[in-house]
Amino acid sequence: CVSAESIIATVGEDVTLTCNYDAKYYGRLSACWGRGAIPNSGCANEVIKSDGKSVISRLSERYLFMGNLGGGDVSLTIRQVEESDSGMYGCRVAIPGWFNDHKHQLTLTVVAVRPNPLKVETKEVKERTVTVRWTPVFDGGRPITTYRIDLKNKQASWDTAVITEVSNPELTQLTLVDLRPAKSYNLRMFAINSVGMSEASNVLTVTTKEAAPEGPPLDMQLEALTSHSIKVTWKPPRPDIRNGVLQSYSITYREYDSAGRQFKRWQHLSVTATRELESVILSNLNPSTNYSVLVQAKTNAGIGPASTAPLCSTLDEVHKTSTASTITSTSTAATMWIQDTTSFTSVHKTSTVSTIASTSTAATMWIQDTTSFPAVPPDPPVVELKEVNDNTISLLWTPGFEGDSPITGYYLEYKAVNASWDYTKTVVDFSPDQTEATIIEINPSTYNIRMFAKNNLGTSKASNILTITTGETGHQRDDHLTTISNDTHAAASVEESPSGHLAAIVVPVVLVLLSVAIVTTWQLRRIKQRKGSLNM
């Protein structure tokens, strides 16, 4: 006789198809399992067979007899079933005699399910970027097609999360960019296949690192108190652009020499950040003199841009007359304001001139030293845009010549298209063997991207620049970078003018060429004089 039943299983499970006979009555008998209807003899498309004592053949390691063969249990166990395992299976036990075989038929239906939840971990956290990674999980029997990433502020609900879907099942890590410094975020992920979406992964809580403030102190005011002091007051930068806990303020000031029409050397003060209205008194100043003052906020990560105000003049000196009991002022005490029209570029030009003076003395030695060569850093990589999908960017790059030392890594800079590379900057690091990356831009906009290669001898020049617009498939995109100078001598964190750089390069070259011309002319004159002496 033939008995039949149906079993439904899910992909990835171990399934057992039952088949038994009375071993006490018949003794040990051979048995087999096949796929499809049971034929008149043997098993069709045989997958496993036993001689009553042990397995003598099987199609795959996934097919097993897990029961007691000697006791008559010839149930078939299939490990980690797949959708392709669905179908009819037949068990045949060879009982002696005509038409005595025991036959048992089953229909197995294997159903695909949603993927298992991901286990996400933090790889790297910077001021404006977070890189996460995960290990591939069981796909539920259908290939994973998409990963979904939810990101929200720590205190907000998941309803406010920024949701991004990445259609690249090969991914095992990605970087989220354009985050705010010193902010806490929650992140979770989902895996999606054709059946549905997995349960949520573990929730990561990440706090981005502090950065230098993006804005200057507010409401800066200067007030002349006496002929030798000026009071400076200000408020902290806007809270949303402080980028961390304010630690202190840098106050730099300098005297304006009206006679020479130039500024004198900067002087510096540091004030601990304690309250919402800060003040400091600059003392030991000269009377009737204009002063320029700058105030910058500091976090542990760096110093921000400067607040500026018009020049402020100390009060006039009070002079005594010949009558000891009478004191007259030579002029009415008042605060005088003058607009400071001196640009910071002139500061850099002054330093450039001093650099030229110091390097000109070494010009001859530089010409003579022809045996030493500088170490060669790597060439920049060539960056290509692979794909833009909504706010997800896929990049790939081709390494250039590695220079005199193997490449140790790459880093990517990105900024808003209307921003300067020197003002805002975010950096994402990559390993030396990595040539592709996927980046999620939290605030879709238009951005510039460039890359650099590094080795132990230095950093390459910048690569080609990509302009990318996120939020629209097929466009190009850009990202934000924030770099503020920590040079306390150039207190305003000023931007150096291109003409200053040009002068620093051209003038030393001109001096070198001039030196060579003078030496050559002198040598020619000496040769000419010697020829004259010989002719005589």
Side-chain angles (χ1 to χ4, degrees):
C1 64
V2 178
S3 58
E5 61 180 284
S6 296
I7 295 177
I8 298 176
T10 57
V11 172
E13 292 181 338
D14 291 350
V15 175
T16 298
L17 310 180
T18 305
C19 185
N20 295 280
Y21 68 93
D22 189 349
K24 290 183 179 179
Y25 181 80
Y26 293 109
R28 297 190 177 195
L29 302 175
S30 64
C32 65
W33 278 88
R35 297 196 63 169
I38 301 174
N40 292 329
S41 63
C43 295
N45 301 312
E46 186 178 276
V47 296
I48 194 169
K49 186 175 183 178
S50 165
D51 62 1
K53 298 178 182 178
S54 61
V55 175
I56 57 176
S57 68
R58 59 181 165 186
L59 184 64
S60 165
E61 297 291 330
R62 295 173 54 237
Y63 300 110
L64 303 168
F65 283 139
M66 301 288 288
N68 180 8
L69 291 178
D73 185 356
V74 288
S75 300
L76 170 64
T77 297
I78 307 175
R79 286 277 178 88
Q80 297 180 346
V81 291
E82 304 166 356
E83 282 190 285
S84 59
D85 291 323
S86 297
M88 185 181 292
Y89 289 79
C91 169
R92 186 183 208 112
V93 179
I95 297 177
W98 291 94
F99 308 110
N100 286 339
D101 288 358
H102 170 67
K103 293 177 281 188
H104 185 56
Q105 196 162 278
L106 302 95
T107 299
L108 173 64
T109 303
V110 181
V111 180
V113 294
R114 299 179 300 166
N116 285 353
L118 296 167
K119 173 67 175 176
V120 189
E121 62 181 20
T122 304
K123 181 181 179 183
E124 183 180 45
V125 179
K126 290 191 170 184
E127 295 88 345
R128 300 171 189 275
T129 66
V130 172
T131 300
V132 296
R133 61 186 175 190
W134 60 93
T135 303
V137 294
F138 172 59
D139 62 8
R142 299 281 178 87
I144 293 174
T145 58
T146 307
Y147 290 108
R148 169 178 152 174
I149 302 94
D150 292 0
L151 182 75
K152 70 175 184 70
N153 289 325
K154 183 180 178 181
Q155 305 304 326
S157 70
W158 285 110
D159 294 336
T160 66
V162 176
I163 298 174
T164 304
E165 291 190 354
V166 182
S167 300
N168 184 352
E170 304 302 320
L171 278 182
T172 56
Q173 77 171 41
L174 54 80
T175 301
L176 293 88
V177 300
D178 213 6
L179 306 179
R180 296 297 309 165
K183 297 293 182 184
S184 294
Y185 295 91
N186 288 144
L187 181 147
R188 67 182 182 184
M189 289 187 64
F190 301 85
I192 301 171
N193 66 8
S194 60
V195 177
M197 184 166 63
S198 71
E199 296 294 323
S201 70
N202 56 306
V203 176
L204 292 180
T205 299
V206 293
T207 300
T208 51
K209 294 183 179 180
E210 289 191 355
E214 289 180 49
L218 304 175
D219 300 337
M220 176 182 165
Q221 295 182 6
L222 306 181
E223 178 188 0
L225 298 180
T226 68
S227 57
H228 297 284
S229 62
I230 293 175
K231 183 178 182 180
V232 186
T233 58
W234 68 92
K235 294 178 182 178
R238 289 194 346 244
D240 60 316
I241 56 176
R242 293 179 189 176
N243 295 342
V245 178
L246 297 181
Q247 301 294 328
S248 62
Y249 295 94
S250 173
I251 296 89
T252 53
Y253 60 98
R254 58 180 176 175
E255 176 186 334
Y256 179 68
D257 181 2
S258 55
R261 301 180 67 180
Q262 63 181 2
F263 284 97
K264 295 189 177 180
R265 188 178 299 235
W266 287 105
Q267 299 184 66
H268 304 272
L269 286 176
S270 183
V271 175
T272 303
T274 56
R275 49 190 181 272
E276 285 302 306
L277 180 61
E278 303 280 2
S279 66
V280 68
I281 295 176
L282 307 179
S283 56
N284 298 322
L285 307 180
N286 293 325
S288 305
T289 304
N290 292 315
Y291 284 87
S292 172
V293 182
L294 304 173
V295 179
Q296 295 168 275
K298 288 183 178 181
T299 64
N300 284 329
I303 190 168
S307 284
T308 59
L311 295 181
C312 180
S313 176
T314 52
L315 301 182
D316 293 342
E317 189 81 84
V318 177
H319 297 283
K320 291 184 180 180
T321 64
S322 56
T323 305
S325 60
T326 304
I327 301 176
T328 59
S329 173
T330 57
S331 65
T332 305
T335 302
M336 187 167 90
W337 301 90
I338 305 172
Q339 185 65 40
D340 183 358
T341 59
T342 304
S343 69
F344 290 113
T345 305
S346 64
V347 177
H348 284 271
K349 285 181 178 177
T350 303
S351 64
T352 302
V353 171
S354 63
T355 303
I356 293 165
S358 63
T359 56
S360 63
T361 59
T364 304
M365 181 180 294
W366 178 80
I367 295 169
Q368 293 173 349
D369 184 12
T370 59
T371 58
S372 62
F373 297 93
V376 178
D379 286 345
V382 177
V383 188
E384 299 178 47
L385 178 64
K386 186 177 179 182
E387 182 184 21
V388 175
N389 188 358
D390 194 19
N391 61 337
T392 303
I393 303 162
S394 295
L395 301 172
L396 56 89
W397 58 92
T398 304
F401 172 60
E402 66 179 15
D404 290 340
S405 177
I407 291 175
T408 57
Y410 301 93
Y411 68 89
L412 175 146
E413 291 183 347
Y414 59 95
K415 68 172 184 65
V417 73
N418 57 354
S420 164
W421 287 111
D422 295 327
Y423 176 61
T424 54
K425 186 177 298 180
T426 299
V427 177
V428 183
D429 291 313
F430 301 105
S431 60
D433 56 350
Q434 194 169 350
T435 56
E436 292 189 29
T438 297
I439 296 171
I440 294 178
E441 170 54 57
I442 298 304
N443 301 307
S445 184
T446 300
Y447 298 90
N448 291 141
I449 289 179
R450 66 183 184 181
M451 288 194 74
F452 298 82
K454 301 181 293 183
N455 65 14
N456 292 328
L457 302 176
T459 302
S460 73
K461 295 180 180 178
S463 71
N464 55 307
I465 296 175
L466 300 181
T467 301
I468 302 175
T469 299
T470 57
E472 301 179 25
T473 304
H475 284 67
Q476 298 180 314
R477 109 110 205 241
D478 142 274
D479 309 306
H480 270 63
L481 327 185
T482 305
T483 342
I484 310 252
S485 171
N486 289 329
D487 184 3
T488 55
H489 297 288
S493 298
V494 293
E495 190 172 339
E496 201 162 355
S497 72
S499 61
H501 288 295
L502 187 61
I505 295 169
V506 171
V507 176
V509 172
V510 171
L511 289 173
V512 169
L513 293 175
L514 185 59
S515 300
V516 172
I518 291 170
V519 171
T520 304
T521 303
W522 179 71
Q523 291 284 6
L524 288 172
R525 291 183 64 183
R526 287 190 62 188
I527 292 169
K528 195 170 182 180
Q529 287 175 357
R530 287 180 180 178
K531 281 188 174 183
S533 302
L534 291 171
N535 290 337
M536 288 175 62

